[in-house]
Structures are given as C-alpha cells and as structure tokens.
Amino acid sequence: MRNSTRRLALFSSAMLLAACSQQGTQAPVPANAGLKDIFKDAFRVGTALSPRQFNETDTASIALIDKHFNITTPENVLKWEVVHPTRGTFSYVQSDGYVAFGERHHMFITGHTLVWHSQTPRWVFEDTLGKPLTRAALLAVMKNHIENVVGRYKGRINGWDVVNEALNEDGTMRQSPWMRIIGDDFPIKAFEYAHAVDPQAELYYNDYNLETPAKRDGAIALVKRIRAAGIPVTAIGSQDHHKMDWPSAALTDSMFTAFRAANIHGNVTELDIDVLPRATNNNTADVAVRAQMQARLNPYAAGLPDSVQTALARRYGEIFKVYWKHRDIIDRITFWGVTDRDSWLNGWPVPGRTNYPLLFDRNGKPKPAYDAVVAVAGSSAR
Ligand code: XIL
C-alpha cells in the first residue's frame, strides 16, 4: 500500500472505531481487512514463504502477504540440507533473505526445522569413512548445528520447529537415524540445545496426522517428557495437510481438546487441503513418499469444477469452525503457501499435477473457500 493510501485507511478505521465506542458497540472489521485483521483477536495467520516471495521477485504475492499474513515459515531454506549442506559448511544466503523479509514486513518470524530425518544430508549420521556415528558424536553434530543456526538468528527468529516428525502413526518413536543412533531422548537434547542458545525463542514440536488419537497421544507424551526434563515447549504444531474427507471435524476437535487437557497449546503450521484423488492408500504427509503420474490422478488440469470448489469451501468452513472454537489454545494458523500456484501439492506425491489446496487461486484471487473461512469469524463474533 502506498503511504498516502495507508494513512487514509488508518484514518478511516480510527473514525470507525471512535464511532463504535461512542455507541458502545464492538468495532466491525473494515471491509478491506485481510485474514490477519479478521482473526486478530483469535490467532495469528501465516504462510510458508519461498525465495520468489521473500526475495520479492513475485511482486503480486507480496501485496497478498502484506494484507493477509503476520507470521511466516520458510518452506525450505532453513532445512538442514540448505543451511548445512556439507560438514563444516553453513550457507545462510537464502535464510538471511527470508529473515530480512520478515523484518521489513513486520512478521512474527519462525524457523523450520532444526532436527528432522528428511531433507537432511547423509553425512550428518556418518563419520568421514561412512561409518555410523556414535551417540556422543551425533549429539555433538546436532549441538553444533543448533548453536550455529539458532545462534545466527537469535532475537530475530521468534520461534523454532525444533523437532519435526519424530513419531510413527501409532504414537511410538519413528526409527529415524536420530532415534537409532541417539535413542529416544534425542528430542529432549534438541530442545535443550535450542533453549540454551535462545531462551526467549518459542520452541515447537511439529508433526502430521496428529488428529489420529494414538499419534496425538504420542505427541502429548513426548512434550511431557521434554517438560519433565525442565525444558519449555511452547506448542505442538499440527501440520494439517488435509484431504477432503480426512481428518473429520470431530477428530480435529478431539485433538485440541486433548492438547488443552494436557496444558499444551496447539498451532496449525502447514495447512492445505488436497482436492485430488489419493495417489497412495494412506493419509501420510511423508515427503519421501512418491507415486507415478496417471491421468486419473490429475482430473482438474483444465480447471476446478464448481462442485469441487464448493465442496472445498465447505471443508475449509468446517475445519475453521473447529479452530475458532479452540482459539484460546491456538496461537496461529499457517497455510503451506500463498496461492494454489505455490503449493507443494502440485508436485507431491505425484509430480506435475494441478492442485487447488489453498484460499487464493493461481492469480491471487480469493476463492469461495476464503469467504467460508472469513464467515467463521463473522458469524461467531456476532
Ligand atoms: C515440503 C516443501 O513444501 C517442498 O517444497 C519440499 O520439496 C519438501 O518439503 N512437512 C513438512 C514440510 O514439515 O517441511 C514439507 O515441505 C511438507 C511436509
């Protein structure tokens, strides 16, 4: 927004507020407000950012980002393979750009992700001869990584996904190299190292399919173990890479209810809704899963039928009603991308599909799903 326009907009909102307070009514949200303003009393609203966006080459999406979002996640540039590609080499060109964007645009800046088994080079787990590291040696590698990365952005990155996807679907610990070599206290060590470097930073445990009761309970148990070791955990991040028919609103509702009972905040960290036919017979969001392209898996290459557009809006509305209900323990809802064009679901698990999982279409226009989401705040505020 140009400065003069911004001043005018601020002036009009101030007049509106003054008029409302005289009449003793609640201030309505201005007609041109974005998601972050519409939901400002409930939670922050965020997006994942890619280099095209934080380097500001994709100018069209900058206006959308400024209008709608006040919290950001880097889609890839703070993953281990990008910032620490080889032993002893840290590469911060991209992540510096990401953090600078967040500061210029007054965002709450989050980092994703410190300890994960995917997008992590093999050398991390091996010595120079290719033999698996010992527990002590891998802990030293983890500590060195966290000290470097969290240390570089101390006081600038406000919250970190410390551990990503440590659990199996049944709630037990996943047999990742971290688990095999260090043991089941590896998340405790990761949180301990991150907290020591930046005690002010928010720290999160992040995973998918947490609506599944066994996995949800595994995440709660994990947070309790970390807290019992004396290290704070700010929230569990529920990725929420959803399908049209999974998880149900009831399961989502139970997840937040269980988080509240355990005194844990629950954030939504990677929201999107896949409208395409399933390419695998489960609900995983594991980035390692791949499937072959077949015509039947890509039915909407020429455009989204109205019936599916409407169903997507209904699905977003149903999910947001649950988020709204639990807003006292939800600090943010973050979408995994700005427009349908940006979404990783065009390339995963089947490369080259045309998907429609977000609130803004390929031209940045709000979809009916956007109106359904906004209606949740509007109806409940009355
Ligand atoms: C995805 C990115 O969106 C893709 O660009 C990349 O190729 C693979 O990773 N869970 C996570 C995210 O925690 O980091 C993943 O992001 C999506 C699933």
Side-chain angles (χ1 to χ4, degrees), residues 303-333:
L304 192 63
D306 286 349
S307 58
V308 185
Q309 188 78 267
T310 307
L312 178 68
R314 209 178 310 121
R315 176 82 171 124
Y316 260 111
E318 145 190 292
I319 301 228
F320 259 77
K321 276 189 197 129
V322 180
Y323 297 159
W324 179 265
K325 174 179 169 190
H326 293 283
R327 62 193 183 281
D328 60 317
I329 58 153
I330 298 179
D331 302 325
R332 66 154 142 143
I333 307 289

Short mmCIF file of all heavy atoms in Angstrom, two decimals, residues 303-333:
data_model
loop_
_atom_site.label_atom_id
_atom_site.label_comp_id
_atom_site.label_asym_id
_atom_site.label_seq_id
_atom_site.Cartn_x
_atom_site.Cartn_y
_atom_site.Cartn_z
N GLY A 303 -9.01 -26.99 -14.97
CA GLY A 303 -9.76 -26.07 -14.12
C GLY A 303 -10.55 -26.86 -13.08
O GLY A 303 -10.81 -28.05 -13.25
N LEU A 304 -10.93 -26.16 -12.01
CA LEU A 304 -11.63 -26.82 -10.90
C LEU A 304 -13.15 -26.71 -11.12
O LEU A 304 -13.67 -25.60 -11.23
CB LEU A 304 -11.23 -26.15 -9.59
CG LEU A 304 -11.64 -26.88 -8.31
CD1 LEU A 304 -10.96 -28.24 -8.22
CD2 LEU A 304 -11.28 -26.03 -7.09
N PRO A 305 -13.87 -27.84 -11.22
CA PRO A 305 -15.33 -27.75 -11.38
C PRO A 305 -15.98 -27.02 -10.20
O PRO A 305 -15.47 -27.11 -9.07
CB PRO A 305 -15.78 -29.22 -11.38
CG PRO A 305 -14.54 -30.03 -11.61
CD PRO A 305 -13.38 -29.22 -11.13
N ASP A 306 -17.08 -26.33 -10.47
CA ASP A 306 -17.77 -25.57 -9.41
C ASP A 306 -18.13 -26.46 -8.22
O ASP A 306 -18.05 -26.03 -7.07
CB ASP A 306 -19.07 -24.96 -9.96
CG ASP A 306 -18.76 -23.77 -10.85
OD1 ASP A 306 -17.58 -23.33 -10.85
OD2 ASP A 306 -19.68 -23.31 -11.55
N SER A 307 -18.52 -27.71 -8.52
CA SER A 307 -18.95 -28.59 -7.42
C SER A 307 -17.79 -28.84 -6.45
O SER A 307 -17.98 -28.88 -5.23
CB SER A 307 -19.47 -29.92 -7.98
OG SER A 307 -18.44 -30.53 -8.74
N VAL A 308 -16.57 -28.98 -6.98
CA VAL A 308 -15.42 -29.24 -6.10
C VAL A 308 -15.03 -27.95 -5.37
O VAL A 308 -14.68 -27.96 -4.18
CB VAL A 308 -14.22 -29.82 -6.90
CG1 VAL A 308 -13.09 -30.21 -5.98
CG2 VAL A 308 -14.66 -31.00 -7.75
N GLN A 309 -15.12 -26.85 -6.10
CA GLN A 309 -14.84 -25.54 -5.48
C GLN A 309 -15.76 -25.32 -4.26
O GLN A 309 -15.31 -24.88 -3.19
CB GLN A 309 -15.14 -24.46 -6.54
CG GLN A 309 -14.75 -23.07 -6.18
CD GLN A 309 -13.26 -22.85 -6.34
OE1 GLN A 309 -12.52 -23.01 -5.37
NE2 GLN A 309 -12.82 -22.49 -7.53
N THR A 310 -17.02 -25.66 -4.43
CA THR A 310 -17.99 -25.50 -3.34
C THR A 310 -17.70 -26.47 -2.20
O THR A 310 -17.77 -26.11 -1.02
CB THR A 310 -19.43 -25.76 -3.88
OG1 THR A 310 -19.60 -24.92 -5.01
CG2 THR A 310 -20.48 -25.46 -2.84
N ALA A 311 -17.35 -27.70 -2.57
CA ALA A 311 -17.03 -28.69 -1.53
C ALA A 311 -15.79 -28.27 -0.75
O ALA A 311 -15.72 -28.44 0.47
CB ALA A 311 -16.83 -30.07 -2.17
N LEU A 312 -14.82 -27.70 -1.44
CA LEU A 312 -13.60 -27.23 -0.76
C LEU A 312 -13.94 -26.11 0.22
O LEU A 312 -13.45 -26.07 1.36
CB LEU A 312 -12.57 -26.75 -1.78
CG LEU A 312 -11.27 -26.20 -1.20
CD1 LEU A 312 -10.45 -27.31 -0.53
CD2 LEU A 312 -10.41 -25.51 -2.28
N ALA A 313 -14.82 -25.21 -0.21
CA ALA A 313 -15.23 -24.10 0.68
C ALA A 313 -15.92 -24.65 1.93
O ALA A 313 -15.65 -24.23 3.05
CB ALA A 313 -16.17 -23.16 -0.08
N ARG A 314 -16.79 -25.65 1.70
CA ARG A 314 -17.49 -26.25 2.84
C ARG A 314 -16.49 -26.89 3.80
O ARG A 314 -16.57 -26.74 5.02
CB ARG A 314 -18.49 -27.29 2.33
CG ARG A 314 -19.69 -27.45 3.23
CD ARG A 314 -20.72 -28.47 2.70
NE ARG A 314 -21.10 -28.24 1.31
CZ ARG A 314 -20.94 -29.15 0.32
NH1 ARG A 314 -20.43 -30.34 0.57
NH2 ARG A 314 -21.31 -28.87 -0.91
N ARG A 315 -15.51 -27.57 3.24
CA ARG A 315 -14.49 -28.26 4.05
C ARG A 315 -13.66 -27.25 4.84
O ARG A 315 -13.40 -27.44 6.03
CB ARG A 315 -13.62 -29.09 3.11
CG ARG A 315 -12.46 -29.79 3.76
CD ARG A 315 -12.89 -31.09 4.43
NE ARG A 315 -11.73 -31.85 4.87
CZ ARG A 315 -11.53 -32.26 6.11
NH1 ARG A 315 -12.43 -32.03 7.06
NH2 ARG A 315 -10.45 -32.93 6.43
N TYR A 316 -13.23 -26.16 4.20
CA TYR A 316 -12.47 -25.13 4.93
C TYR A 316 -13.33 -24.53 6.05
O TYR A 316 -12.84 -24.28 7.15
CB TYR A 316 -11.98 -24.03 3.97
CG TYR A 316 -10.52 -24.19 3.59
CD1 TYR A 316 -10.16 -24.54 2.29
CD2 TYR A 316 -9.50 -24.00 4.52
CE1 TYR A 316 -8.82 -24.70 1.94
CE2 TYR A 316 -8.17 -24.16 4.17
CZ TYR A 316 -7.83 -24.50 2.88
OH TYR A 316 -6.51 -24.66 2.56
N GLY A 317 -14.61 -24.30 5.75
CA GLY A 317 -15.50 -23.73 6.77
C GLY A 317 -15.62 -24.64 7.98
O GLY A 317 -15.52 -24.20 9.13
N GLU A 318 -15.77 -25.94 7.70
CA GLU A 318 -15.95 -26.93 8.78
C GLU A 318 -14.69 -26.98 9.66
O GLU A 318 -14.77 -26.99 10.89
CB GLU A 318 -16.26 -28.28 8.12
CG GLU A 318 -15.73 -29.52 8.78
CD GLU A 318 -15.92 -30.77 7.87
OE1 GLU A 318 -17.07 -31.17 7.67
OE2 GLU A 318 -14.91 -31.34 7.39
N ILE A 319 -13.52 -26.94 9.02
CA ILE A 319 -12.28 -27.01 9.80
C ILE A 319 -12.07 -25.72 10.61
O ILE A 319 -11.67 -25.76 11.77
CB ILE A 319 -11.09 -27.20 8.84
CG1 ILE A 319 -11.30 -28.46 8.05
CG2 ILE A 319 -9.76 -27.16 9.57
CD1 ILE A 319 -10.16 -29.37 7.98
N PHE A 320 -12.34 -24.58 9.97
CA PHE A 320 -12.11 -23.31 10.68
C PHE A 320 -13.06 -23.14 11.86
O PHE A 320 -12.71 -22.48 12.84
CB PHE A 320 -12.16 -22.11 9.72
CG PHE A 320 -10.77 -21.65 9.37
CD1 PHE A 320 -10.01 -22.36 8.45
CD2 PHE A 320 -10.20 -20.55 9.99
CE1 PHE A 320 -8.70 -21.98 8.15
CE2 PHE A 320 -8.89 -20.15 9.70
CZ PHE A 320 -8.15 -20.87 8.78
N LYS A 321 -14.24 -23.73 11.76
CA LYS A 321 -15.15 -23.67 12.93
C LYS A 321 -14.49 -24.34 14.13
O LYS A 321 -14.60 -23.86 15.26
CB LYS A 321 -16.48 -24.36 12.61
CG LYS A 321 -17.41 -23.43 11.88
CD LYS A 321 -18.81 -24.02 11.75
CE LYS A 321 -19.54 -23.25 10.66
NZ LYS A 321 -20.15 -24.10 9.65
N VAL A 322 -13.79 -25.43 13.89
CA VAL A 322 -13.10 -26.12 15.00
C VAL A 322 -11.94 -25.26 15.50
O VAL A 322 -11.75 -25.10 16.72
CB VAL A 322 -12.59 -27.52 14.56
CG1 VAL A 322 -11.89 -28.21 15.71
CG2 VAL A 322 -13.73 -28.37 14.02
N TYR A 323 -11.17 -24.68 14.59
CA TYR A 323 -10.06 -23.81 15.02
C TYR A 323 -10.60 -22.65 15.86
O TYR A 323 -10.03 -22.28 16.89
CB TYR A 323 -9.31 -23.23 13.82
CG TYR A 323 -8.61 -24.24 12.93
CD1 TYR A 323 -8.29 -23.91 11.61
CD2 TYR A 323 -8.27 -25.52 13.39
CE1 TYR A 323 -7.64 -24.80 10.79
CE2 TYR A 323 -7.63 -26.42 12.55
CZ TYR A 323 -7.32 -26.06 11.25
OH TYR A 323 -6.68 -26.94 10.43
N TRP A 324 -11.69 -22.07 15.38
CA TRP A 324 -12.26 -20.93 16.09
C TRP A 324 -12.69 -21.32 17.51
O TRP A 324 -12.42 -20.62 18.48
CB TRP A 324 -13.45 -20.39 15.28
CG TRP A 324 -14.11 -19.22 15.94
CD1 TRP A 324 -15.20 -19.25 16.75
CD2 TRP A 324 -13.69 -17.86 15.86
NE1 TRP A 324 -15.50 -17.99 17.18
CE2 TRP A 324 -14.60 -17.12 16.66
CE3 TRP A 324 -12.66 -17.19 15.20
CZ2 TRP A 324 -14.49 -15.73 16.81
CZ3 TRP A 324 -12.55 -15.82 15.34
CH2 TRP A 324 -13.45 -15.11 16.15
N LYS A 325 -13.32 -22.50 17.59
CA LYS A 325 -13.78 -22.98 18.90
C LYS A 325 -12.61 -23.10 19.88
O LYS A 325 -12.76 -22.85 21.07
CB LYS A 325 -14.47 -24.34 18.70
CG LYS A 325 -14.87 -25.03 19.98
CD LYS A 325 -15.57 -26.37 19.69
CE LYS A 325 -15.73 -27.18 20.96
NZ LYS A 325 -16.17 -28.55 20.70
N HIS A 326 -11.44 -23.49 19.39
CA HIS A 326 -10.29 -23.73 20.27
C HIS A 326 -9.27 -22.59 20.25
O HIS A 326 -8.11 -22.78 20.59
CB HIS A 326 -9.61 -25.05 19.87
CG HIS A 326 -10.47 -26.24 20.13
ND1 HIS A 326 -10.65 -26.77 21.40
CD2 HIS A 326 -11.25 -26.99 19.31
CE1 HIS A 326 -11.48 -27.80 21.34
NE2 HIS A 326 -11.86 -27.96 20.08
N ARG A 327 -9.73 -21.40 19.87
CA ARG A 327 -8.77 -20.30 19.66
C ARG A 327 -8.00 -19.91 20.93
O ARG A 327 -6.96 -19.30 20.84
CB ARG A 327 -9.46 -19.09 19.03
CG ARG A 327 -10.58 -18.47 19.88
CD ARG A 327 -11.38 -17.49 19.02
NE ARG A 327 -12.42 -16.82 19.77
CZ ARG A 327 -13.61 -17.35 20.06
NH1 ARG A 327 -13.90 -18.58 19.68
NH2 ARG A 327 -14.51 -16.66 20.73
N ASP A 328 -8.53 -20.28 22.10
CA ASP A 328 -7.81 -19.93 23.34
C ASP A 328 -6.47 -20.67 23.45
O ASP A 328 -5.57 -20.21 24.15
CB ASP A 328 -8.67 -20.25 24.58
CG ASP A 328 -9.04 -21.72 24.68
OD1 ASP A 328 -9.41 -22.31 23.64
OD2 ASP A 328 -8.94 -22.29 25.78
N ILE A 329 -6.32 -21.81 22.76
CA ILE A 329 -5.02 -22.51 22.83
C ILE A 329 -4.32 -22.57 21.46
O ILE A 329 -3.32 -23.26 21.30
CB ILE A 329 -5.15 -23.94 23.41
CG1 ILE A 329 -6.12 -24.79 22.60
CG2 ILE A 329 -5.52 -23.91 24.89
CD1 ILE A 329 -5.81 -26.29 22.69
N ILE A 330 -4.88 -21.86 20.47
CA ILE A 330 -4.24 -21.84 19.14
C ILE A 330 -3.60 -20.46 18.96
O ILE A 330 -4.28 -19.44 19.00
CB ILE A 330 -5.28 -22.09 18.02
CG1 ILE A 330 -5.91 -23.48 18.18
CG2 ILE A 330 -4.63 -21.96 16.65
CD1 ILE A 330 -6.97 -23.83 17.13
N ASP A 331 -2.29 -20.44 18.78
CA ASP A 331 -1.60 -19.16 18.62
C ASP A 331 -1.51 -18.74 17.16
O ASP A 331 -1.33 -17.57 16.85
CB ASP A 331 -0.17 -19.24 19.19
CG ASP A 331 -0.18 -19.62 20.67
OD1 ASP A 331 -1.12 -19.19 21.38
OD2 ASP A 331 0.73 -20.36 21.11
N ARG A 332 -1.57 -19.71 16.26
CA ARG A 332 -1.51 -19.35 14.84
C ARG A 332 -2.04 -20.46 13.95
O ARG A 332 -2.03 -21.63 14.30
CB ARG A 332 -0.07 -19.09 14.42
CG ARG A 332 0.74 -20.36 14.50
CD ARG A 332 1.91 -20.32 13.56
NE ARG A 332 3.04 -20.96 14.17
CZ ARG A 332 3.92 -21.70 13.50
NH1 ARG A 332 3.79 -21.86 12.21
NH2 ARG A 332 4.92 -22.25 14.13
N ILE A 333 -2.53 -20.00 12.79
CA ILE A 333 -2.91 -20.90 11.70
C ILE A 333 -2.03 -20.51 10.52
O ILE A 333 -2.13 -19.38 10.02
CB ILE A 333 -4.39 -20.70 11.29
CG1 ILE A 333 -5.34 -20.81 12.48
CG2 ILE A 333 -4.76 -21.67 10.16
CD1 ILE A 333 -5.51 -22.18 13.06
#
